[in-house]
Amino acid sequence: MTSTASSPDTRQGQAAEEQQPSWQRRLRRFGYVARPRGSDDVRARLVPAYTEPSPRLWVTLGVPKATAELLVKWMGWIGPLLITLVAGVTRFWNLGSPKAVIFDETYYAKDAWALIHRGFEVNWPEKVNDTVLAQGSGVKIPTDAAYVVHPPVGKYVIGIGEWMFGFDPFGWRFMTAVLGTLSVLMLCRIGRRLFRSTFLGCLAGALLAVDGLHFVMSRTALLDQVLMFFVLAAFGCFLIDRDKARERLAASLPTDPDSTDGVVRPDAYVAETVRLGWRPWRWAAGLCLGLAFGTKWNGLYIMVFFCLMTVLWDVGGRRVAGAVRPYRAVLKRDVFPAFVSTVPVALGTYVLSWLGWILSPTDGSGGYYRNWAATAGKGGDWTWLPDWLRSLWHYEHAVYEFHVGLSSPHTYQSNPWSWIVDGRPVSYFYESPLPGKEGCPSDTAEKCAREVLALGTPMLWWAAGFALLYVLWRWAFRRDWRAGAIVCGIAAGYLPWFMYQERTIFFFYAVVFVPFLCLAVAMMIGAIIGPAGSSERRRVVGAASVGVLVLLILWNFIWFWPIYTGQAIPIDSWRARMLLDTWV
């Protein structure tokens, strides 16, 4: 009988692809690439280097070597700051126009003013908007508490602008313009870190700067722009934490003794047992998630997606470092610290955001439901809890019932299936000035149209539809973590709305995941240009193609500029911009 131990391994000598399971071989026709088993340069995989422009570029441009080195060193900040400057100028230009209370500003601008003066929202008279526009900061603030259905963080943010500049359109739009501008800077830096490319990072930020939905939301006092900012900030914090954790992993691994250049080799014991220590960027992410949740409740879904994402990043890091059982290692070493540094911090931040309401009087003159525990909520099994906590819980339960039951029809409501193709934008403001009035040219044959339309730049969004398919393919078949991170950001802001398709929901909710759509388009553009080492002809053709695409997106933004900013244009020009019947 032949001994099993002495039997030859018939797999030796087979090609690597022949050793793969049959399902992997079948998926190869769709571009599937198996996860790499190892690498001689583990440090390079854990902490990839940033790409730099080819020296030929500087020679072609006639830039001296010393100047080129200085530009390479500082371009990671110069490029993003220049793009941010353009974004800021366009967003702050004539910010107080239209001088009106547009769309849901009728709620949030007044709630913000009440919060910074009373500590809680109040009931305003029905036709007070004209009084607000006429009297501004001199308007009398009511004292009767109002029932509102969104947490206070976003309204406090809007209120900062009102506190600084007054109770007028410029004041209540100021902070959303600031956050919209800063989000462009953040996306440039996030994209640079994600792709290890200053060019692609700046491209993602530039695309965000010329997106119509992001632009309009930056010039309107609504909560969703505030939510977008904190979500993007949380993603950036998690991304920095990922890099820092991998740097610690790389530093803990042993150096190959046979290597002369300090090559780090994988080590299963180190990869599975090393502790990654203090991770302050996760705490910062938890704070940002709490502020997002404290702006609108859908921040809770985003917290779940992002927390799962950061844990999976730890799994990937330990696997690259050599862990044989990376999931078990992460479960033992990383999951509990990840939970403590995010979820309790986020929930604590949320509760603190209600401090104005908590400290308001309990004699019936404070915030809505503030005295519930001392009146209608007496008795029961939970009386050992503080009254403010029981009253807050009752308030939150009432808000939850409102949200899940909201189905009142609205002219501009839309189904999330239509969002990616710009199916049903929202008109925030519309007037029909006569010739010679309110900016309408006097020689206009008919009346003019003056509109603020929350519409994503169509060429950008339609390109993003293809980019979304590309990053899904890249994540599923090429196991590209960058594509997975982008998909996570889009899914966190998008997928939860499919559970509420019967609710009254609007397209502008999509602004939360617009930065991730821009990252997807930037990643697709990088693939079209071609990877490092591609032929010069491939690079030239690819660059020309994406140049045409980017110029079309920019032209599209300029074309729709009048209906993003509420400028008066002849009615025929307005009709020419209504490309789809559903936009009217």
mmCIF file of all heavy atoms in Angstrom, residues 110-155:
data_model
loop_
_atom_site.group_PDB
_atom_site.id
_atom_site.type_symbol
_atom_site.label_atom_id
_atom_site.label_comp_id
_atom_site.label_asym_id
_atom_site.label_seq_id
_atom_site.Cartn_x
_atom_site.Cartn_y
_atom_site.Cartn_z
ATOM 1 N N LYS A 110 -35.859 79.902 10.523
ATOM 2 C CA LYS A 110 -36.529 80.413 11.725
ATOM 3 C C LYS A 110 -36.254 79.540 12.948
ATOM 4 O O LYS A 110 -36.080 80.051 14.059
ATOM 5 C CB LYS A 110 -38.036 80.523 11.453
ATOM 6 C CG LYS A 110 -38.379 81.610 10.440
ATOM 7 C CD LYS A 110 -39.861 81.716 10.171
ATOM 8 C CE LYS A 110 -40.402 80.518 9.440
ATOM 9 N NZ LYS A 110 -41.787 80.704 8.965
ATOM 10 N N ASP A 111 -36.189 78.210 12.746
ATOM 11 C CA ASP A 111 -35.839 77.329 13.868
ATOM 12 C C ASP A 111 -34.434 77.637 14.381
ATOM 13 O O ASP A 111 -34.177 77.614 15.591
ATOM 14 C CB ASP A 111 -35.913 75.868 13.431
ATOM 15 C CG ASP A 111 -37.343 75.372 13.307
ATOM 16 O OD1 ASP A 111 -38.253 76.063 13.791
ATOM 17 O OD2 ASP A 111 -37.549 74.287 12.718
ATOM 18 N N ALA A 112 -33.521 77.921 13.453
ATOM 19 C CA ALA A 112 -32.143 78.237 13.852
ATOM 20 C C ALA A 112 -32.096 79.519 14.676
ATOM 21 O O ALA A 112 -31.390 79.608 15.691
ATOM 22 C CB ALA A 112 -31.265 78.369 12.606
ATOM 23 N N TRP A 113 -32.850 80.519 14.241
ATOM 24 C CA TRP A 113 -32.880 81.798 14.959
ATOM 25 C C TRP A 113 -33.443 81.607 16.374
ATOM 26 O O TRP A 113 -32.940 82.182 17.344
ATOM 27 C CB TRP A 113 -33.713 82.799 14.173
ATOM 28 C CG TRP A 113 -33.704 84.196 14.709
ATOM 29 C CD1 TRP A 113 -34.749 84.849 15.299
ATOM 30 C CD2 TRP A 113 -32.615 85.123 14.694
ATOM 31 N NE1 TRP A 113 -34.398 86.135 15.653
ATOM 32 C CE2 TRP A 113 -33.077 86.328 15.289
ATOM 33 C CE3 TRP A 113 -31.308 85.071 14.243
ATOM 34 C CZ2 TRP A 113 -32.277 87.451 15.441
ATOM 35 C CZ3 TRP A 113 -30.500 86.194 14.382
ATOM 36 C CH2 TRP A 113 -30.980 87.361 14.971
ATOM 37 N N ALA A 114 -34.474 80.776 16.490
ATOM 38 C CA ALA A 114 -35.062 80.503 17.806
ATOM 39 C C ALA A 114 -34.091 79.710 18.684
ATOM 40 O O ALA A 114 -33.969 79.983 19.886
ATOM 41 C CB ALA A 114 -36.376 79.748 17.650
ATOM 42 N N LEU A 115 -33.404 78.746 18.108
ATOM 43 C CA LEU A 115 -32.481 77.911 18.890
ATOM 44 C C LEU A 115 -31.367 78.727 19.530
ATOM 45 O O LEU A 115 -31.035 78.530 20.698
ATOM 46 C CB LEU A 115 -31.872 76.818 18.000
ATOM 47 C CG LEU A 115 -32.642 75.502 17.891
ATOM 48 C CD1 LEU A 115 -31.994 74.601 16.868
ATOM 49 C CD2 LEU A 115 -32.714 74.792 19.235
ATOM 50 N N ILE A 116 -30.785 79.646 18.759
ATOM 51 C CA ILE A 116 -29.651 80.389 19.326
ATOM 52 C C ILE A 116 -30.105 81.458 20.319
ATOM 53 O O ILE A 116 -29.275 82.007 21.046
ATOM 54 C CB ILE A 116 -28.779 81.017 18.206
ATOM 55 C CG1 ILE A 116 -29.581 82.041 17.411
ATOM 56 C CG2 ILE A 116 -28.194 79.949 17.308
ATOM 57 C CD1 ILE A 116 -28.748 82.812 16.394
ATOM 58 N N HIS A 117 -31.417 81.737 20.352
ATOM 59 C CA HIS A 117 -31.921 82.725 21.310
ATOM 60 C C HIS A 117 -32.717 82.095 22.446
ATOM 61 O O HIS A 117 -32.688 82.583 23.569
ATOM 62 C CB HIS A 117 -32.799 83.765 20.589
ATOM 63 C CG HIS A 117 -32.025 84.736 19.763
ATOM 64 N ND1 HIS A 117 -31.683 84.490 18.451
ATOM 65 C CD2 HIS A 117 -31.493 85.956 20.056
ATOM 66 C CE1 HIS A 117 -30.996 85.513 17.967
ATOM 67 N NE2 HIS A 117 -30.864 86.424 18.928
ATOM 68 N N ARG A 118 -33.428 80.996 22.166
ATOM 69 C CA ARG A 118 -34.266 80.373 23.189
ATOM 70 C C ARG A 118 -33.719 79.040 23.680
ATOM 71 O O ARG A 118 -34.038 78.609 24.777
ATOM 72 C CB ARG A 118 -35.672 80.154 22.630
ATOM 73 C CG ARG A 118 -36.423 81.432 22.291
ATOM 74 C CD ARG A 118 -37.320 81.844 23.434
ATOM 75 N NE ARG A 118 -38.218 82.921 23.046
ATOM 76 C CZ ARG A 118 -38.006 84.206 23.296
ATOM 77 N NH1 ARG A 118 -36.903 84.586 23.934
ATOM 78 N NH2 ARG A 118 -38.871 85.118 22.908
ATOM 79 N N GLY A 119 -32.970 78.353 22.809
ATOM 80 C CA GLY A 119 -32.508 77.013 23.163
ATOM 81 C C GLY A 119 -33.437 75.920 22.667
ATOM 82 O O GLY A 119 -33.138 74.736 22.800
ATOM 83 N N PHE A 120 -34.565 76.296 22.089
ATOM 84 C CA PHE A 120 -35.507 75.331 21.522
ATOM 85 C C PHE A 120 -36.319 76.045 20.442
ATOM 86 O O PHE A 120 -36.366 77.273 20.380
ATOM 87 C CB PHE A 120 -36.435 74.748 22.599
ATOM 88 C CG PHE A 120 -37.188 75.781 23.393
ATOM 89 C CD1 PHE A 120 -38.435 76.232 22.983
ATOM 90 C CD2 PHE A 120 -36.655 76.307 24.571
ATOM 91 C CE1 PHE A 120 -39.134 77.191 23.709
ATOM 92 C CE2 PHE A 120 -37.344 77.260 25.310
ATOM 93 C CZ PHE A 120 -38.587 77.706 24.881
ATOM 94 N N GLU A 121 -36.952 75.237 19.578
ATOM 95 C CA GLU A 121 -37.728 75.781 18.471
ATOM 96 C C GLU A 121 -39.074 76.306 18.979
ATOM 97 O O GLU A 121 -39.604 75.816 19.987
ATOM 98 C CB GLU A 121 -37.954 74.718 17.389
ATOM 99 C CG GLU A 121 -36.669 74.231 16.723
ATOM 100 C CD GLU A 121 -36.026 73.056 17.437
ATOM 101 O OE1 GLU A 121 -36.354 72.845 18.627
ATOM 102 O OE2 GLU A 121 -35.207 72.357 16.830
ATOM 103 N N VAL A 122 -39.624 77.277 18.261
ATOM 104 C CA VAL A 122 -40.885 77.897 18.682
ATOM 105 C C VAL A 122 -41.865 77.927 17.511
ATOM 106 O O VAL A 122 -41.487 77.741 16.351
ATOM 107 C CB VAL A 122 -40.649 79.337 19.199
ATOM 108 C CG1 VAL A 122 -39.737 79.332 20.404
ATOM 109 C CG2 VAL A 122 -40.093 80.234 18.083
ATOM 110 N N ASN A 123 -43.123 78.158 17.835
ATOM 111 C CA ASN A 123 -44.171 78.297 16.819
ATOM 112 C C ASN A 123 -44.194 79.728 16.291
ATOM 113 O O ASN A 123 -44.466 80.660 17.039
ATOM 114 C CB ASN A 123 -45.538 77.948 17.419
ATOM 115 C CG ASN A 123 -45.811 76.465 17.409
ATOM 116 O OD1 ASN A 123 -45.560 75.788 16.417
ATOM 117 N ND2 ASN A 123 -46.315 75.941 18.515
ATOM 118 N N TRP A 124 -43.920 79.887 15.004
ATOM 119 C CA TRP A 124 -43.970 81.200 14.375
ATOM 120 C C TRP A 124 -45.339 81.406 13.741
ATOM 121 O O TRP A 124 -45.979 80.456 13.299
ATOM 122 C CB TRP A 124 -42.895 81.307 13.292
ATOM 123 C CG TRP A 124 -41.485 81.281 13.820
ATOM 124 C CD1 TRP A 124 -40.759 80.178 14.119
ATOM 125 C CD2 TRP A 124 -40.666 82.402 14.103
ATOM 126 N NE1 TRP A 124 -39.510 80.523 14.571
ATOM 127 C CE2 TRP A 124 -39.420 81.902 14.572
ATOM 128 C CE3 TRP A 124 -40.833 83.783 14.010
ATOM 129 C CZ2 TRP A 124 -38.368 82.719 14.942
ATOM 130 C CZ3 TRP A 124 -39.772 84.605 14.377
ATOM 131 C CH2 TRP A 124 -38.567 84.085 14.840
ATOM 132 N N PRO A 125 -45.794 82.653 13.666
ATOM 133 C CA PRO A 125 -47.056 82.920 12.963
ATOM 134 C C PRO A 125 -46.984 82.462 11.512
ATOM 135 O O PRO A 125 -45.907 82.427 10.899
ATOM 136 C CB PRO A 125 -47.192 84.444 13.058
ATOM 137 C CG PRO A 125 -46.376 84.829 14.248
ATOM 138 C CD PRO A 125 -45.236 83.857 14.299
ATOM 139 N N GLU A 126 -48.129 82.114 10.937
ATOM 140 C CA GLU A 126 -48.168 81.519 9.598
ATOM 141 C C GLU A 126 -47.550 82.427 8.529
ATOM 142 O O GLU A 126 -46.836 81.965 7.663
ATOM 143 C CB GLU A 126 -49.608 81.184 9.215
ATOM 144 C CG GLU A 126 -50.134 79.937 9.894
ATOM 145 C CD GLU A 126 -51.476 79.511 9.335
ATOM 146 O OE1 GLU A 126 -51.859 80.012 8.258
ATOM 147 O OE2 GLU A 126 -52.144 78.692 9.970
ATOM 148 N N LYS A 127 -47.815 83.707 8.538
ATOM 149 C CA LYS A 127 -47.367 84.611 7.469
ATOM 150 C C LYS A 127 -46.282 85.560 7.970
ATOM 151 O O LYS A 127 -46.294 86.754 7.670
ATOM 152 C CB LYS A 127 -48.557 85.390 6.924
ATOM 153 C CG LYS A 127 -49.612 84.491 6.293
ATOM 154 C CD LYS A 127 -50.767 85.288 5.715
ATOM 155 C CE LYS A 127 -51.800 84.376 5.073
ATOM 156 N NZ LYS A 127 -52.943 85.131 4.506
ATOM 157 N N VAL A 128 -45.328 84.989 8.711
ATOM 158 C CA VAL A 128 -44.296 85.828 9.304
ATOM 159 C C VAL A 128 -43.107 86.050 8.376
ATOM 160 O O VAL A 128 -42.246 86.889 8.644
ATOM 161 C CB VAL A 128 -43.811 85.201 10.634
ATOM 162 C CG1 VAL A 128 -42.912 83.993 10.372
ATOM 163 C CG2 VAL A 128 -43.116 86.230 11.515
ATOM 164 N N ASN A 129 -43.012 85.298 7.257
ATOM 165 C CA ASN A 129 -41.830 85.394 6.394
ATOM 166 C C ASN A 129 -41.602 86.808 5.860
ATOM 167 O O ASN A 129 -40.472 87.297 5.815
ATOM 168 C CB ASN A 129 -41.943 84.411 5.228
ATOM 169 C CG ASN A 129 -41.759 82.970 5.662
ATOM 170 O OD1 ASN A 129 -41.325 82.711 6.784
ATOM 171 N ND2 ASN A 129 -42.090 82.029 4.800
ATOM 172 N N ASP A 130 -42.670 87.472 5.452
ATOM 173 C CA ASP A 130 -42.530 88.844 4.954
ATOM 174 C C ASP A 130 -42.035 89.776 6.056
ATOM 175 O O ASP A 130 -41.220 90.685 5.807
ATOM 176 C CB ASP A 130 -43.865 89.349 4.411
ATOM 177 C CG ASP A 130 -44.273 88.650 3.127
ATOM 178 O OD1 ASP A 130 -43.371 88.105 2.457
ATOM 179 O OD2 ASP A 130 -45.478 88.629 2.817
ATOM 180 N N THR A 131 -42.489 89.535 7.277
ATOM 181 C CA THR A 131 -42.027 90.339 8.416
ATOM 182 C C THR A 131 -40.547 90.098 8.674
ATOM 183 O O THR A 131 -39.787 91.039 8.961
ATOM 184 C CB THR A 131 -42.850 89.995 9.676
ATOM 185 O OG1 THR A 131 -44.231 90.145 9.398
ATOM 186 C CG2 THR A 131 -42.458 90.890 10.833
ATOM 187 N N VAL A 132 -40.132 88.844 8.571
ATOM 188 C CA VAL A 132 -38.715 88.501 8.765
ATOM 189 C C VAL A 132 -37.856 89.212 7.730
ATOM 190 O O VAL A 132 -36.802 89.793 8.049
ATOM 191 C CB VAL A 132 -38.517 86.974 8.693
ATOM 192 C CG1 VAL A 132 -37.030 86.626 8.619
ATOM 193 C CG2 VAL A 132 -39.153 86.286 9.895
ATOM 194 N N LEU A 133 -38.274 89.175 6.466
ATOM 195 C CA LEU A 133 -37.497 89.816 5.410
ATOM 196 C C LEU A 133 -37.446 91.323 5.587
ATOM 197 O O LEU A 133 -36.459 91.973 5.237
ATOM 198 C CB LEU A 133 -38.087 89.461 4.043
ATOM 199 C CG LEU A 133 -37.960 87.989 3.621
ATOM 200 C CD1 LEU A 133 -38.761 87.721 2.362
ATOM 201 C CD2 LEU A 133 -36.497 87.611 3.411
ATOM 202 N N ALA A 134 -38.498 91.885 6.146
ATOM 203 C CA ALA A 134 -38.549 93.344 6.322
ATOM 204 C C ALA A 134 -37.805 93.800 7.572
ATOM 205 O O ALA A 134 -37.089 94.811 7.551
ATOM 206 C CB ALA A 134 -40.010 93.799 6.390
ATOM 207 N N GLN A 135 -37.943 93.074 8.671
ATOM 208 C CA GLN A 135 -37.379 93.516 9.946
ATOM 209 C C GLN A 135 -36.062 92.825 10.302
ATOM 210 O O GLN A 135 -35.308 93.338 11.122
ATOM 211 C CB GLN A 135 -38.400 93.288 11.070
ATOM 212 C CG GLN A 135 -39.686 94.063 10.906
ATOM 213 C CD GLN A 135 -40.646 93.845 12.055
ATOM 214 O OE1 GLN A 135 -40.284 93.272 13.084
ATOM 215 N NE2 GLN A 135 -41.886 94.301 11.902
ATOM 216 N N GLY A 136 -35.802 91.649 9.731
ATOM 217 C CA GLY A 136 -34.551 90.955 10.019
ATOM 218 C C GLY A 136 -34.411 90.610 11.483
ATOM 219 O O GLY A 136 -35.318 90.059 12.118
ATOM 220 N N SER A 137 -33.283 90.966 12.057
ATOM 221 C CA SER A 137 -32.976 90.609 13.441
ATOM 222 C C SER A 137 -33.901 91.279 14.450
ATOM 223 O O SER A 137 -33.938 90.877 15.623
ATOM 224 C CB SER A 137 -31.521 90.961 13.776
ATOM 225 O OG SER A 137 -30.637 90.304 12.905
ATOM 226 N N GLY A 138 -34.642 92.274 14.025
ATOM 227 C CA GLY A 138 -35.539 92.959 14.939
ATOM 228 C C GLY A 138 -36.877 92.274 15.131
ATOM 229 O O GLY A 138 -37.695 92.740 15.926
ATOM 230 N N VAL A 139 -37.125 91.192 14.425
ATOM 231 C CA VAL A 139 -38.403 90.512 14.531
ATOM 232 C C VAL A 139 -38.552 89.900 15.924
ATOM 233 O O VAL A 139 -37.592 89.425 16.526
ATOM 234 C CB VAL A 139 -38.539 89.428 13.441
ATOM 235 C CG1 VAL A 139 -37.607 88.250 13.719
ATOM 236 C CG2 VAL A 139 -39.974 88.943 13.321
ATOM 237 N N LYS A 140 -39.763 89.930 16.440
ATOM 238 C CA LYS A 140 -40.033 89.383 17.770
ATOM 239 C C LYS A 140 -40.097 87.868 17.712
ATOM 240 O O LYS A 140 -40.757 87.285 16.854
ATOM 241 C CB LYS A 140 -41.347 89.943 18.306
ATOM 242 C CG LYS A 140 -41.677 89.485 19.724
ATOM 243 C CD LYS A 140 -42.981 90.082 20.206
ATOM 244 C CE LYS A 140 -43.317 89.582 21.623
ATOM 245 N NZ LYS A 140 -44.606 90.142 22.097
ATOM 246 N N ILE A 141 -39.398 87.203 18.637
ATOM 247 C CA ILE A 141 -39.349 85.742 18.672
ATOM 248 C C ILE A 141 -40.461 85.238 19.584
ATOM 249 O O ILE A 141 -40.540 85.634 20.750
ATOM 250 C CB ILE A 141 -37.989 85.243 19.182
ATOM 251 C CG1 ILE A 141 -36.858 85.834 18.352
ATOM 252 C CG2 ILE A 141 -37.936 83.722 19.152
ATOM 253 C CD1 ILE A 141 -35.485 85.514 18.882
ATOM 254 N N PRO A 142 -41.338 84.366 19.096
ATOM 255 C CA PRO A 142 -42.395 83.810 19.944
ATOM 256 C C PRO A 142 -41.802 82.983 21.102
ATOM 257 O O PRO A 142 -40.615 82.646 21.108
ATOM 258 C CB PRO A 142 -43.189 82.924 18.988
ATOM 259 C CG PRO A 142 -42.864 83.428 17.624
ATOM 260 C CD PRO A 142 -41.449 83.917 17.702
ATOM 261 N N THR A 143 -42.630 82.648 22.052
ATOM 262 C CA THR A 143 -42.188 81.866 23.220
ATOM 263 C C THR A 143 -42.815 80.487 23.274
ATOM 264 O O THR A 143 -42.358 79.632 24.035
ATOM 265 C CB THR A 143 -42.535 82.614 24.516
ATOM 266 O OG1 THR A 143 -43.951 82.847 24.555
ATOM 267 C CG2 THR A 143 -41.800 83.948 24.587
ATOM 268 N N ASP A 144 -43.845 80.242 22.462
ATOM 269 C CA ASP A 144 -44.559 78.969 22.495
ATOM 270 C C ASP A 144 -43.733 77.897 21.792
ATOM 271 O O ASP A 144 -43.383 78.035 20.614
ATOM 272 C CB ASP A 144 -45.922 79.133 21.811
ATOM 273 C CG ASP A 144 -46.772 77.883 21.919
ATOM 274 O OD1 ASP A 144 -46.561 77.113 22.867
ATOM 275 O OD2 ASP A 144 -47.633 77.678 21.037
ATOM 276 N N ALA A 145 -43.406 76.793 22.496
ATOM 277 C CA ALA A 145 -42.553 75.738 21.936
ATOM 278 C C ALA A 145 -43.227 75.057 20.748
ATOM 279 O O ALA A 145 -44.445 74.877 20.714
ATOM 280 C CB ALA A 145 -42.221 74.702 23.007
ATOM 281 N N ALA A 146 -42.412 74.658 19.761
ATOM 282 C CA ALA A 146 -42.922 74.000 18.556
ATOM 283 C C ALA A 146 -42.478 72.544 18.518
ATOM 284 O O ALA A 146 -41.401 72.183 19.005
ATOM 285 C CB ALA A 146 -42.417 74.727 17.312
ATOM 286 N N TYR A 147 -43.317 71.715 17.918
ATOM 287 C CA TYR A 147 -42.987 70.310 17.689
ATOM 288 C C TYR A 147 -42.244 70.212 16.357
ATOM 289 O O TYR A 147 -42.793 70.527 15.300
ATOM 290 C CB TYR A 147 -44.264 69.476 17.655
ATOM 291 C CG TYR A 147 -44.070 68.038 17.236
ATOM 292 C CD1 TYR A 147 -43.402 67.141 18.055
ATOM 293 C CD2 TYR A 147 -44.564 67.580 16.013
ATOM 294 C CE1 TYR A 147 -43.238 65.823 17.671
ATOM 295 C CE2 TYR A 147 -44.409 66.263 15.620
ATOM 296 C CZ TYR A 147 -43.748 65.387 16.452
ATOM 297 O OH TYR A 147 -43.574 64.078 16.083
ATOM 298 N N VAL A 148 -40.978 69.811 16.399
ATOM 299 C CA VAL A 148 -40.173 69.673 15.173
ATOM 300 C C VAL A 148 -39.674 68.243 15.081
ATOM 301 O O VAL A 148 -39.581 67.534 16.088
ATOM 302 C CB VAL A 148 -38.987 70.666 15.164
ATOM 303 C CG1 VAL A 148 -39.486 72.100 15.133
ATOM 304 C CG2 VAL A 148 -38.092 70.443 16.372
ATOM 305 N N VAL A 149 -39.324 67.824 13.877
ATOM 306 C CA VAL A 149 -39.025 66.404 13.665
ATOM 307 C C VAL A 149 -37.578 66.143 13.266
ATOM 308 O O VAL A 149 -37.254 65.040 12.843
ATOM 309 C CB VAL A 149 -39.977 65.806 12.604
ATOM 310 C CG1 VAL A 149 -41.402 65.837 13.110
ATOM 311 C CG2 VAL A 149 -39.856 66.554 11.272
ATOM 312 N N HIS A 150 -36.713 67.144 13.384
ATOM 313 C CA HIS A 150 -35.290 66.917 13.101
ATOM 314 C C HIS A 150 -34.468 67.382 14.295
ATOM 315 O O HIS A 150 -34.802 68.384 14.941
ATOM 316 C CB HIS A 150 -34.852 67.675 11.845
ATOM 317 C CG HIS A 150 -35.420 67.106 10.581
ATOM 318 N ND1 HIS A 150 -35.187 65.807 10.182
ATOM 319 C CD2 HIS A 150 -36.222 67.652 9.626
ATOM 320 C CE1 HIS A 150 -35.807 65.587 9.037
ATOM 321 N NE2 HIS A 150 -36.449 66.683 8.690
ATOM 322 N N PRO A 151 -33.379 66.677 14.605
ATOM 323 C CA PRO A 151 -32.505 67.074 15.715
ATOM 324 C C PRO A 151 -31.912 68.467 15.486
ATOM 325 O O PRO A 151 -32.001 69.030 14.386
ATOM 326 C CB PRO A 151 -31.423 65.985 15.712
ATOM 327 C CG PRO A 151 -32.001 64.848 14.940
ATOM 328 C CD PRO A 151 -32.915 65.453 13.936
ATOM 329 N N PRO A 152 -31.249 69.034 16.493
ATOM 330 C CA PRO A 152 -30.898 70.455 16.427
ATOM 331 C C PRO A 152 -29.560 70.821 15.799
ATOM 332 O O PRO A 152 -29.335 72.002 15.526
ATOM 333 C CB PRO A 152 -30.895 70.862 17.911
ATOM 334 C CG PRO A 152 -30.554 69.613 18.648
ATOM 335 C CD PRO A 152 -31.118 68.484 17.851
ATOM 336 N N VAL A 153 -28.648 69.874 15.549
ATOM 337 C CA VAL A 153 -27.284 70.244 15.147
ATOM 338 C C VAL A 153 -27.277 71.105 13.890
ATOM 339 O O VAL A 153 -26.639 72.165 13.843
ATOM 340 C CB VAL A 153 -26.405 68.994 14.951
ATOM 341 C CG1 VAL A 153 -25.079 69.378 14.273
ATOM 342 C CG2 VAL A 153 -26.117 68.321 16.278
ATOM 343 N N GLY A 154 -27.961 70.657 12.832
ATOM 344 C CA GLY A 154 -27.953 71.407 11.584
ATOM 345 C C GLY A 154 -28.517 72.808 11.753
ATOM 346 O O GLY A 154 -28.031 73.765 11.138
ATOM 347 N N LYS A 155 -29.505 72.956 12.607
ATOM 348 C CA LYS A 155 -30.100 74.280 12.827
ATOM 349 C C LYS A 155 -29.167 75.171 13.654
ATOM 350 O O LYS A 155 -29.114 76.383 13.435
ATOM 351 C CB LYS A 155 -31.460 74.107 13.496
ATOM 352 C CG LYS A 155 -32.514 73.561 12.532
ATOM 353 C CD LYS A 155 -33.774 73.089 13.224
ATOM 354 C CE LYS A 155 -33.610 71.708 13.807
ATOM 355 N NZ LYS A 155 -34.886 71.143 14.308
#
